Amino acid sequence: MPVRYVITTLKPGVKPDAYETWLREYDYRVAKTLPSIISYRTHRIEGPINGAPDAGWSYIERIEVRDADQYAKDLASPAGQELIRQLYENYLDRSKNIFFWSEPIED
């Protein structure tokens, strides 16, 4: 199953508590309704990312999906678009996002 990682940070002036409350009360609930998502969790980054330039990144998301194409369709749905709208209008600095897809190496 593909896994998408997103590394990002808050917009200037956004308090971590406000974002993390929204994450728990809205983002996680909506993500559970999107058919492509198997699991989704955001982690707060503690300290520097060793070996990387200091871009002020604060969070990393791990999103395990059934199918990357279906995930894109889910994000294009009304629920997905509302989630993205709230996320980037109110909380995260989209210009600082780094993201990539990965494929687990099974045993």
Side-chain angles (χ1 to χ4, degrees):
M1 304 287 174
V3 177
R4 180 180 171 102
Y5 289 92
V6 182
I7 303 171
T8 195
T9 194
L10 299 173
K11 287 182 166 188
V14 173
K15 303 272 189 240
D17 287 347
Y19 168 63
E20 292 175 19
T21 297
W22 175 84
L23 183 72
R24 288 183 197 100
E25 294 177 358
Y26 184 80
D27 193 15
Y28 285 161
R29 286 190 300 151
V30 171
K32 288 178 183 178
T33 70
L34 301 177
S36 62
I37 295 179
I38 297 170
S39 68
Y40 164 57
R41 188 63 54 197
T42 297
H43 300 261
R44 187 180 323 106
I45 296 171
E46 301 290 334
I49 299 174
N50 295 322
D54 184 11
W57 292 305
S58 318
Y59 296 93
I60 184 167
E61 299 177 359
R62 182 188 182 280
I63 309 159
E64 184 178 10
V65 302
R66 289 175 177 76
D67 178 83
D69 292 335
Q70 182 60 49
Y71 176 72
K73 290 175 186 174
D74 288 348
L75 289 184
S77 73
Q81 285 298 292
E82 178 59 17
L83 187 148
I84 296 298
R85 184 193 68 75
Q86 288 186 34
L87 180 65
Y88 291 115
E89 281 186 15
N90 301 318
Y91 301 104
L92 297 185
D93 183 345
R94 193 174 209 163
S95 71
K96 293 187 178 178
N97 278 7
I98 293 177
F99 59 88
F100 55 92
W101 284 99
S102 67
E103 195 66 42
I105 300 169
E106 305 296 339
D107 57 357

